[in-house]
Amino acid sequence: MTAAPVFLSHESSLHHDTGQHPERIRRIEVILESLAGAPETSVYDRIDSPAARFSDLERVHSASHVERVAAAAEAGGAQLDPDTVVSAGSFVAALHAAGGAVELVRRLLAGGSGQVGFSAHRPPGHHATADRAMGFCLFNNVAVAARHATAALGVERVLILDWDVHHGNGTNDMFWESDDVLFASIHQLPLYPGSGRASELGRGQGRGYTVNLPVPPRSGDDVFISLVRDVVMPLARCFMPQLLLISAGYDAHADDPLAQCLVTDDGFIAMTALMRGLAAELEVPVGCVLEGGYDVDMLGRCVTHTMATLAAAPDCATVAGTDIPTHELAVLARERLLPFWPRISSAT
Ligand SMILES: [Zn+2]
């Protein structure tokens, strides 16, 4: 029998003090308050995240990067790039953010098919590169977790869907030449950090395993849902991952102040339901790692919806919005991916 859905957090997330900054302490407080008020909370297995080990971090980061973040916190704080603040509590918070993602993966794989979960910490991770903190991110939590799965837990193929509105450039770069981690990103372009064009497809044996799906400003549910259903899901049926991870940012929401996309609460529910349904179809676990989302009321609501949708029976036929028409951007993406994934069109 599959264990209860897992929800991982750690109080150190509340000690990463960024001050007057969109990526602020309140984000985690509202998520915890919103979940506490949700009726489903009782069935979630609430877990205090362990700290990541240096050996976990150093599968994707340089030792000098880890040391730089540690030293900045030790010194009482620093600004590592124009957007990225470190306070005295930030190194410990970042260790638990990465450690939570690793523990999520460990529990997902121990629970097997049907196991679901969410790792909700700050700082977020997907902009952090091997050697650089950027875009509010210190360590790349989802990448650390995916590499833990392949290096330590015997997983041969991981699919990461990044639906944060910003391109996950750090994750993109870390798996650029890898064919065991398929990275698919839906993001607004133009927008920070400016990378993630459709032509960026990976290199060497990793070519075709980086799938960038840029969308224009004002893209809403119809675009995002169709790209998940008509591109990411067929890709997954070709790639056959043993683990699904979602870099779950909520800043594509219409209420978000940092981008111009128009996804609604129902859009995120539909995307979650599709990925939950995909996990059931492939008989693999699925878990979310928190990225962005900067309107705090929206963030609390949407994480709670995601948790409830993951925990529900995987019957996406009953979820509103999953039956929209195929979007033109999805048709174009499938054509672009055909040389690498010849079966993609028949796998819809
Ligand atoms: Zn973002």
Side-chain angles (χ1 to χ4, degrees):
M1 198 184 109
T2 303
V6 292
F7 182 85
L8 299 103
S9 60
H10 193 268
E11 60 115 27
S12 60
S13 288
L14 306 175
H15 305 302
H16 169 48
D17 184 2
T18 48
Q20 295 293 319
H21 190 287
E23 201 293 285
R24 57 199 187 276
I25 291 168
R26 185 74 191 134
R27 296 179 66 236
I28 293 294
E29 291 173 342
V30 291
I31 290 171
L32 298 178
E33 288 164 14
S34 178
L35 268 185
E40 296 88 350
T41 303
S42 57
V43 302
Y44 301 159
D45 197 357
R46 299 286 295 262
I47 295 153
D48 239 3
S49 300
R53 295 173 305 186
F54 282 34
S55 57
D56 293 326
L57 299 175
E58 288 173 10
R59 289 198 186 97
V60 298
H61 290 291
S62 65
S64 59
H65 172 66
V66 177
E67 284 158 17
R68 218 163 21 246
V69 176
E74 177 95 353
Q79 184 109 15
L80 293 185
D81 96 333
D83 304 314
T84 313
V85 178
V86 169
S87 71
S90 298
F91 182 59
V92 173
L95 287 179
H96 285 275
V102 168
E103 182 66 11
L104 169 69
V105 159
R106 203 185 66 73
R107 289 183 179 250
L108 289 175
L109 292 165
S113 169
Q115 184 68 61
V116 300
F118 201 115
S119 177
H121 303 76
R122 48 188 294 282
H126 71 154
H127 295 306
T129 70
D131 202 40
R132 189 174 161 211
M134 61 180 277
F136 318 162
C137 301
L138 300 179
F139 301 139
N140 196 318
N141 308 317
V142 79
V144 171
R147 263 295 164 248
H148 182 79
T150 60
L153 300 175
V155 172
E156 292 171 355
R157 292 176 304 281
V158 181
L159 185 145
I160 302 172
L161 167 60
D162 185 331
W163 70 40
D164 186 284
V165 79
H166 302 94
H167 179 233
N169 60 293
T171 320
N172 180 98
D173 293 358
M174 285 166 173
F175 300 116
W176 186 244
E177 297 187 54
S178 300
D179 62 0
D180 56 352
V181 177
L182 194 158
F183 174 67
S185 177
I186 307 173
H187 48 271
Q188 179 182 319
L189 203 65
L191 188 66
Y192 179 89
S195 50
R197 294 185 309 275
S199 57
E200 296 174 34
L201 288 157
R203 185 165 59 208
Q205 67 182 16
R207 194 153 168 79
Y209 293 82
T210 296
V211 176
N212 281 303
L213 304 167
V215 302
R218 305 197 63 73
S219 294
D221 292 351
D222 58 336
V223 182
F224 276 75
I225 293 168
S226 177
L227 288 173
V228 172
R229 189 195 60 194
D230 303 321
V231 181
V232 176
M233 290 174 65
L235 260 176
R237 293 185 186 109
C238 298
F239 178 59
M240 293 301 281
Q242 294 148 310
L243 172 66
L244 299 178
L245 293 176
I246 301 171
S247 251
Y250 295 88
D251 39 12
H253 196 285
D255 292 351
D256 198 274
L258 294 198
Q260 292 79 44
C261 283
L262 300 172
V263 176
T264 67
D265 287 31
D266 287 343
F268 281 111
I269 292 170
M271 288 196 288
T272 309
L274 287 168
M275 292 300 286
R276 178 73 182 85
L278 176 68
E281 177 190 325
L282 301 179
E283 300 183 342
V284 300
V286 57
C288 292
V289 178
L290 182 66
E291 301 288 358
Y294 303 100
D295 177 276
V296 290
D297 292 337
M298 170 277 286
L299 181 64
R301 276 197 326 269
C302 283
V303 171
T304 304
H305 294 327
T306 297
M307 213 43 215
T309 308
L310 286 177
D315 180 10
C316 57
T318 62
V319 175
T322 54
D323 59 349
I324 43 102
T326 300
H327 195 275
E328 189 196 0
L329 285 177
V331 175
L332 292 171
R334 282 209 306 251
E335 284 173 10
R336 197 164 64 237
L337 293 167
L338 203 56
F340 311 103
W341 302 99
R343 289 176 43 243
I344 191 166
S345 292
S346 57
T348 53

